[in-house]
PDB file of all heavy atoms in Angstrom:
ATOM      1  N   HIS A 871     -18.572 -10.077  -0.810  1.00 98.00           N
ATOM      2  CA  HIS A 871     -20.008 -10.241  -0.609  1.00 98.00           C
ATOM      3  C   HIS A 871     -20.553  -9.310   0.463  1.00 98.00           C
ATOM      4  O   HIS A 871     -21.653  -9.496   0.951  1.00 98.00           O
ATOM      5  CB  HIS A 871     -20.313 -11.700  -0.246  1.00 98.00           C
ATOM      6  CG  HIS A 871     -20.023 -12.655  -1.361  1.00 98.00           C
ATOM      7  ND1 HIS A 871     -19.504 -13.923  -1.152  1.00 98.00           N
ATOM      8  CD2 HIS A 871     -20.160 -12.526  -2.710  1.00 98.00           C
ATOM      9  CE1 HIS A 871     -19.341 -14.522  -2.317  1.00 98.00           C
ATOM     10  NE2 HIS A 871     -19.726 -13.702  -3.275  1.00 98.00           N
ATOM     11  N   TRP A 872     -19.756  -8.292   0.832  1.00 98.00           N
ATOM     12  CA  TRP A 872     -20.136  -7.300   1.837  1.00 98.00           C
ATOM     13  C   TRP A 872     -20.244  -7.904   3.235  1.00 98.00           C
ATOM     14  O   TRP A 872     -20.996  -7.407   4.083  1.00 98.00           O
ATOM     15  CB  TRP A 872     -21.432  -6.574   1.454  1.00 98.00           C
ATOM     16  CG  TRP A 872     -21.223  -5.647   0.307  1.00 98.00           C
ATOM     17  CD1 TRP A 872     -21.367  -5.929  -1.008  1.00 98.00           C
ATOM     18  CD2 TRP A 872     -20.769  -4.279   0.374  1.00 98.00           C
ATOM     19  NE1 TRP A 872     -21.047  -4.827  -1.780  1.00 98.00           N
ATOM     20  CE2 TRP A 872     -20.681  -3.808  -0.952  1.00 98.00           C
ATOM     21  CE3 TRP A 872     -20.445  -3.428   1.428  1.00 98.00           C
ATOM     22  CZ2 TRP A 872     -20.267  -2.508  -1.259  1.00 98.00           C
ATOM     23  CZ3 TRP A 872     -20.045  -2.135   1.110  1.00 98.00           C
ATOM     24  CH2 TRP A 872     -19.964  -1.687  -0.211  1.00 98.00           C
ATOM     25  N   ASN A 873     -19.485  -8.975   3.484  1.00 98.00           N
ATOM     26  CA  ASN A 873     -19.377  -9.500   4.839  1.00 98.00           C
ATOM     27  C   ASN A 873     -18.274  -8.746   5.569  1.00 98.00           C
ATOM     28  O   ASN A 873     -17.179  -8.564   5.037  1.00 98.00           O
ATOM     29  CB  ASN A 873     -19.057 -11.002   4.818  1.00 98.00           C
ATOM     30  CG  ASN A 873     -20.182 -11.810   4.218  1.00 98.00           C
ATOM     31  OD1 ASN A 873     -21.354 -11.567   4.516  1.00 98.00           O
ATOM     32  ND2 ASN A 873     -19.852 -12.767   3.371  1.00 98.00           N
ATOM     33  N   MET A 874     -18.560  -8.316   6.789  1.00 98.00           N
ATOM     34  CA  MET A 874     -17.599  -7.521   7.551  1.00 98.00           C
ATOM     35  C   MET A 874     -16.461  -8.400   8.051  1.00 98.00           C
ATOM     36  O   MET A 874     -16.682  -9.428   8.672  1.00 98.00           O
ATOM     37  CB  MET A 874     -18.303  -6.841   8.744  1.00 98.00           C
ATOM     38  CG  MET A 874     -17.428  -5.901   9.530  1.00 98.00           C
ATOM     39  SD  MET A 874     -18.407  -4.780  10.597  1.00 98.00           S
ATOM     40  CE  MET A 874     -19.385  -5.958  11.553  1.00 98.00           C
ATOM     41  N   VAL A 875     -15.229  -7.992   7.760  1.00 97.00           N
ATOM     42  CA  VAL A 875     -14.052  -8.743   8.207  1.00 97.00           C
ATOM     43  C   VAL A 875     -13.257  -7.987   9.272  1.00 97.00           C
ATOM     44  O   VAL A 875     -12.430  -8.574   9.960  1.00 97.00           O
ATOM     45  CB  VAL A 875     -13.132  -9.103   7.016  1.00 97.00           C
ATOM     46  CG1 VAL A 875     -13.847 -10.022   6.036  1.00 97.00           C
ATOM     47  CG2 VAL A 875     -12.637  -7.852   6.295  1.00 97.00           C
ATOM     48  N   ALA A 876     -13.503  -6.693   9.415  1.00 97.00           N
ATOM     49  CA  ALA A 876     -12.834  -5.897  10.444  1.00 97.00           C
ATOM     50  C   ALA A 876     -13.600  -4.587  10.597  1.00 97.00           C
ATOM     51  O   ALA A 876     -14.289  -4.144   9.680  1.00 97.00           O
ATOM     52  CB  ALA A 876     -11.376  -5.624  10.081  1.00 97.00           C
ATOM     53  N   ALA A 877     -13.456  -3.970  11.775  1.00 98.00           N
ATOM     54  CA  ALA A 877     -14.132  -2.696  12.017  1.00 98.00           C
ATOM     55  C   ALA A 877     -13.420  -1.967  13.144  1.00 98.00           C
ATOM     56  O   ALA A 877     -12.723  -2.581  13.961  1.00 98.00           O
ATOM     57  CB  ALA A 877     -15.600  -2.933  12.385  1.00 98.00           C
ATOM     58  N   ASN A 878     -13.591  -0.651  13.182  1.00 97.00           N
ATOM     59  CA  ASN A 878     -13.013   0.108  14.296  1.00 97.00           C
ATOM     60  C   ASN A 878     -14.042   0.257  15.417  1.00 97.00           C
ATOM     61  O   ASN A 878     -15.208  -0.132  15.286  1.00 97.00           O
ATOM     62  CB  ASN A 878     -12.462   1.462  13.834  1.00 97.00           C
ATOM     63  CG  ASN A 878     -13.548   2.417  13.341  1.00 97.00           C
ATOM     64  OD1 ASN A 878     -14.737   2.192  13.517  1.00 97.00           O
ATOM     65  ND2 ASN A 878     -13.117   3.514  12.706  1.00 97.00           N
ATOM     66  N   ALA A 879     -13.608   0.823  16.528  1.00 94.00           N
ATOM     67  CA  ALA A 879     -14.468   0.911  17.709  1.00 94.00           C
ATOM     68  C   ALA A 879     -15.687   1.787  17.470  1.00 94.00           C
ATOM     69  O   ALA A 879     -16.749   1.572  18.066  1.00 94.00           O
ATOM     70  CB  ALA A 879     -13.657   1.444  18.888  1.00 94.00           C
ATOM     71  N   ALA A 880     -15.562   2.781  16.584  1.00 94.00           N
ATOM     72  CA  ALA A 880     -16.653   3.724  16.354  1.00 94.00           C
ATOM     73  C   ALA A 880     -17.847   3.096  15.640  1.00 94.00           C
ATOM     74  O   ALA A 880     -18.937   3.673  15.625  1.00 94.00           O
ATOM     75  CB  ALA A 880     -16.143   4.925  15.565  1.00 94.00           C
ATOM     76  N   VAL A 881     -17.676   1.903  15.055  1.00 96.00           N
ATOM     77  CA  VAL A 881     -18.778   1.239  14.357  1.00 96.00           C
ATOM     78  C   VAL A 881     -19.913   0.895  15.316  1.00 96.00           C
ATOM     79  O   VAL A 881     -21.057   0.709  14.895  1.00 96.00           O
ATOM     80  CB  VAL A 881     -18.263  -0.014  13.608  1.00 96.00           C
ATOM     81  CG1 VAL A 881     -19.390  -0.945  13.212  1.00 96.00           C
ATOM     82  CG2 VAL A 881     -17.492   0.409  12.355  1.00 96.00           C
ATOM     83  N   THR A 882     -19.617   0.825  16.609  1.00 94.00           N
ATOM     84  CA  THR A 882     -20.656   0.470  17.576  1.00 94.00           C
ATOM     85  C   THR A 882     -21.831   1.437  17.551  1.00 94.00           C
ATOM     86  O   THR A 882     -22.954   1.047  17.867  1.00 94.00           O
ATOM     87  CB  THR A 882     -20.083   0.408  19.004  1.00 94.00           C
ATOM     88  OG1 THR A 882     -19.456   1.665  19.314  1.00 94.00           O
ATOM     89  CG2 THR A 882     -19.069  -0.713  19.135  1.00 94.00           C
ATOM     90  N   ILE A 883     -21.594   2.689  17.163  1.00 94.00           N
ATOM     91  CA  ILE A 883     -22.708   3.636  17.093  1.00 94.00           C
ATOM     92  C   ILE A 883     -23.717   3.226  16.019  1.00 94.00           C
ATOM     93  O   ILE A 883     -24.903   3.569  16.090  1.00 94.00           O
ATOM     94  CB  ILE A 883     -22.207   5.076  16.839  1.00 94.00           C
ATOM     95  CG1 ILE A 883     -23.324   6.081  17.150  1.00 94.00           C
ATOM     96  CG2 ILE A 883     -21.723   5.262  15.402  1.00 94.00           C
ATOM     97  CD1 ILE A 883     -22.879   7.511  17.157  1.00 94.00           C
ATOM     98  N   LEU A 884     -23.250   2.452  15.030  1.00 95.00           N
ATOM     99  CA  LEU A 884     -24.137   1.959  13.976  1.00 95.00           C
ATOM    100  C   LEU A 884     -24.781   0.631  14.345  1.00 95.00           C
ATOM    101  O   LEU A 884     -25.833   0.288  13.811  1.00 95.00           O
ATOM    102  CB  LEU A 884     -23.366   1.791  12.666  1.00 95.00           C
ATOM    103  CG  LEU A 884     -22.739   3.049  12.047  1.00 95.00           C
ATOM    104  CD1 LEU A 884     -21.902   2.672  10.831  1.00 95.00           C
ATOM    105  CD2 LEU A 884     -23.803   4.062  11.670  1.00 95.00           C
ATOM    106  N   THR A 885     -24.164  -0.135  15.229  1.00 95.00           N
ATOM    107  CA  THR A 885     -24.615  -1.503  15.488  1.00 95.00           C
ATOM    108  C   THR A 885     -25.224  -1.723  16.864  1.00 95.00           C
ATOM    109  O   THR A 885     -25.746  -2.803  17.132  1.00 95.00           O
ATOM    110  CB  THR A 885     -23.438  -2.481  15.328  1.00 95.00           C
ATOM    111  OG1 THR A 885     -22.399  -2.153  16.272  1.00 95.00           O
ATOM    112  CG2 THR A 885     -22.874  -2.437  13.919  1.00 95.00           C
ATOM    113  N   GLU A 886     -25.199  -0.730  17.743  1.00 94.00           N
ATOM    114  CA  GLU A 886     -25.591  -0.980  19.131  1.00 94.00           C
ATOM    115  C   GLU A 886     -27.055  -1.364  19.291  1.00 94.00           C
ATOM    116  O   GLU A 886     -27.432  -1.989  20.293  1.00 94.00           O
ATOM    117  CB  GLU A 886     -25.258   0.222  20.014  1.00 94.00           C
ATOM    118  CG  GLU A 886     -25.904   1.528  19.587  1.00 94.00           C
ATOM    119  CD  GLU A 886     -25.355   2.712  20.372  1.00 94.00           C
ATOM    120  OE1 GLU A 886     -24.768   2.497  21.440  1.00 94.00           O
ATOM    121  OE2 GLU A 886     -25.509   3.848  19.902  1.00 94.00           O
ATOM    122  N   GLN A 887     -27.924  -1.004  18.339  1.00 95.00           N
ATOM    123  CA  GLN A 887     -29.335  -1.376  18.432  1.00 95.00           C
ATOM    124  C   GLN A 887     -29.717  -2.488  17.451  1.00 95.00           C
ATOM    125  O   GLN A 887     -30.880  -2.837  17.322  1.00 95.00           O
ATOM    126  CB  GLN A 887     -30.208  -0.150  18.183  1.00 95.00           C
ATOM    127  CG  GLN A 887     -30.028   0.961  19.201  1.00 95.00           C
ATOM    128  CD  GLN A 887     -30.953   2.131  18.928  1.00 95.00           C
ATOM    129  OE1 GLN A 887     -32.160   2.061  19.165  1.00 95.00           O
ATOM    130  NE2 GLN A 887     -30.388   3.219  18.414  1.00 95.00           N
ATOM    131  N   VAL A 888     -28.718  -3.038  16.768  1.00 97.00           N
ATOM    132  CA  VAL A 888     -28.950  -4.114  15.799  1.00 97.00           C
ATOM    133  C   VAL A 888     -29.095  -5.445  16.522  1.00 97.00           C
ATOM    134  O   VAL A 888     -28.409  -5.707  17.521  1.00 97.00           O
ATOM    135  CB  VAL A 888     -27.785  -4.170  14.787  1.00 97.00           C
ATOM    136  CG1 VAL A 888     -27.877  -5.403  13.903  1.00 97.00           C
ATOM    137  CG2 VAL A 888     -27.765  -2.907  13.940  1.00 97.00           C
ATOM    138  N   SER A 889     -29.963  -6.310  16.024  1.00 97.00           N
ATOM    139  CA  SER A 889     -30.145  -7.634  16.610  1.00 97.00           C
ATOM    140  C   SER A 889     -28.821  -8.395  16.626  1.00 97.00           C
ATOM    141  O   SER A 889     -28.130  -8.446  15.606  1.00 97.00           O
ATOM    142  CB  SER A 889     -31.165  -8.434  15.805  1.00 97.00           C
ATOM    143  OG  SER A 889     -31.168  -9.796  16.182  1.00 97.00           O
ATOM    144  N   PRO A 890     -28.461  -8.998  17.774  1.00 97.00           N
ATOM    145  CA  PRO A 890     -27.199  -9.766  17.851  1.00 97.00           C
ATOM    146  C   PRO A 890     -27.102 -10.853  16.788  1.00 97.00           C
ATOM    147  O   PRO A 890     -26.009 -11.187  16.338  1.00 97.00           O
ATOM    148  CB  PRO A 890     -27.246 -10.361  19.256  1.00 97.00           C
ATOM    149  CG  PRO A 890     -28.094  -9.410  20.045  1.00 97.00           C
ATOM    150  CD  PRO A 890     -29.147  -8.934  19.078  1.00 97.00           C
ATOM    151  N   ALA A 891     -28.240 -11.408  16.381  1.00 97.00           N
ATOM    152  CA  ALA A 891     -28.219 -12.477  15.373  1.00 97.00           C
ATOM    153  C   ALA A 891     -27.635 -11.981  14.056  1.00 97.00           C
ATOM    154  O   ALA A 891     -26.942 -12.735  13.360  1.00 97.00           O
ATOM    155  CB  ALA A 891     -29.628 -13.016  15.151  1.00 97.00           C
ATOM    156  N   LEU A 892     -27.894 -10.724  13.706  1.00 98.00           N
ATOM    157  CA  LEU A 892     -27.364 -10.167  12.458  1.00 98.00           C
ATOM    158  C   LEU A 892     -25.876  -9.872  12.543  1.00 98.00           C
ATOM    159  O   LEU A 892     -25.216  -9.699  11.517  1.00 98.00           O
ATOM    160  CB  LEU A 892     -28.111  -8.888  12.086  1.00 98.00           C
ATOM    161  CG  LEU A 892     -29.560  -9.048  11.624  1.00 98.00           C
ATOM    162  CD1 LEU A 892     -30.207  -7.686  11.429  1.00 98.00           C
ATOM    163  CD2 LEU A 892     -29.643  -9.864  10.344  1.00 98.00           C
ATOM    164  N   LEU A 893     -25.353  -9.795  13.767  1.00 97.00           N
ATOM    165  CA  LEU A 893     -23.934  -9.479  13.953  1.00 97.00           C
ATOM    166  C   LEU A 893     -23.064 -10.725  14.070  1.00 97.00           C
ATOM    167  O   LEU A 893     -21.842 -10.624  14.152  1.00 97.00           O
ATOM    168  CB  LEU A 893     -23.757  -8.610  15.204  1.00 97.00           C
ATOM    169  CG  LEU A 893     -24.493  -7.265  15.176  1.00 97.00           C
ATOM    170  CD1 LEU A 893     -24.298  -6.529  16.490  1.00 97.00           C
ATOM    171  CD2 LEU A 893     -24.016  -6.404  14.013  1.00 97.00           C
ATOM    172  N   GLU A 894     -23.714 -11.899  14.056  1.00 97.00           N
ATOM    173  CA  GLU A 894     -22.949 -13.143  14.097  1.00 97.00           C
ATOM    174  C   GLU A 894     -22.199 -13.327  12.782  1.00 97.00           C
ATOM    175  O   GLU A 894     -22.763 -13.105  11.702  1.00 97.00           O
ATOM    176  CB  GLU A 894     -23.878 -14.344  14.316  1.00 97.00           C
ATOM    177  CG  GLU A 894     -24.461 -14.441  15.712  1.00 97.00           C
ATOM    178  CD  GLU A 894     -23.424 -14.794  16.743  1.00 97.00           C
ATOM    179  OE1 GLU A 894     -22.470 -15.534  16.411  1.00 97.00           O
ATOM    180  OE2 GLU A 894     -23.543 -14.316  17.884  1.00 97.00           O
ATOM    181  N   PRO A 895     -20.916 -13.718  12.840  1.00 94.00           N
ATOM    182  CA  PRO A 895     -20.151 -13.918  11.603  1.00 94.00           C
ATOM    183  C   PRO A 895     -20.770 -15.003  10.731  1.00 94.00           C
ATOM    184  O   PRO A 895     -21.246 -16.011  11.263  1.00 94.00           O
ATOM    185  CB  PRO A 895     -18.771 -14.336  12.115  1.00 94.00           C
ATOM    186  CG  PRO A 895     -18.713 -13.802  13.514  1.00 94.00           C
ATOM    187  CD  PRO A 895     -20.107 -13.921  14.038  1.00 94.00           C
ATOM    188  N   PRO A 896     -20.792 -14.831   9.417  1.00 95.00           N
ATOM    189  CA  PRO A 896     -20.355 -13.623   8.700  1.00 95.00           C
ATOM    190  C   PRO A 896     -21.446 -12.556   8.718  1.00 95.00           C
ATOM    191  O   PRO A 896     -22.550 -12.780   8.190  1.00 95.00           O
ATOM    192  CB  PRO A 896     -20.100 -14.137   7.279  1.00 95.00           C
ATOM    193  CG  PRO A 896     -21.082 -15.273   7.127  1.00 95.00           C
ATOM    194  CD  PRO A 896     -21.213 -15.901   8.491  1.00 95.00           C
ATOM    195  N   ALA A 897     -21.165 -11.423   9.321  1.00 98.00           N
ATOM    196  CA  ALA A 897     -22.133 -10.328   9.412  1.00 98.00           C
ATOM    197  C   ALA A 897     -22.112  -9.535   8.112  1.00 98.00           C
ATOM    198  O   ALA A 897     -21.095  -8.945   7.760  1.00 98.00           O
ATOM    199  CB  ALA A 897     -21.792  -9.430  10.601  1.00 98.00           C
ATOM    200  N   ASN A 898     -23.235  -9.526   7.424  1.00 98.00           N
ATOM    201  CA  ASN A 898     -23.310  -8.837   6.139  1.00 98.00           C
ATOM    202  C   ASN A 898     -23.787  -7.406   6.359  1.00 98.00           C
ATOM    203  O   ASN A 898     -24.893  -7.178   6.859  1.00 98.00           O
ATOM    204  CB  ASN A 898     -24.259  -9.574   5.191  1.00 98.00           C
ATOM    205  CG  ASN A 898     -24.247  -8.999   3.804  1.00 98.00           C
ATOM    206  OD1 ASN A 898     -24.898  -8.006   3.518  1.00 98.00           O
ATOM    207  ND2 ASN A 898     -23.475  -9.620   2.913  1.00 98.00           N
ATOM    208  N   VAL A 899     -22.973  -6.435   5.980  1.00 98.00           N
ATOM    209  CA  VAL A 899     -23.281  -5.043   6.321  1.00 98.00           C
ATOM    210  C   VAL A 899     -24.488  -4.509   5.540  1.00 98.00           C
ATOM    211  O   VAL A 899     -25.208  -3.633   6.036  1.00 98.00           O
ATOM    212  CB  VAL A 899     -22.047  -4.137   6.114  1.00 98.00           C
ATOM    213  CG1 VAL A 899     -20.905  -4.588   7.003  1.00 98.00           C
ATOM    214  CG2 VAL A 899     -21.625  -4.085   4.665  1.00 98.00           C
TER     215      VAL A 899
END
C-alpha cells in the first residue's frame, strides 16, 4: 500500500520539510 517500512539516511533530504504528522507510522510515501 506504499507504506514506508524502511529507509536510508539520505531520505531525510526528501522529508525534512514534511509535516511530522505525515511521517507517523504507517507513513504513506
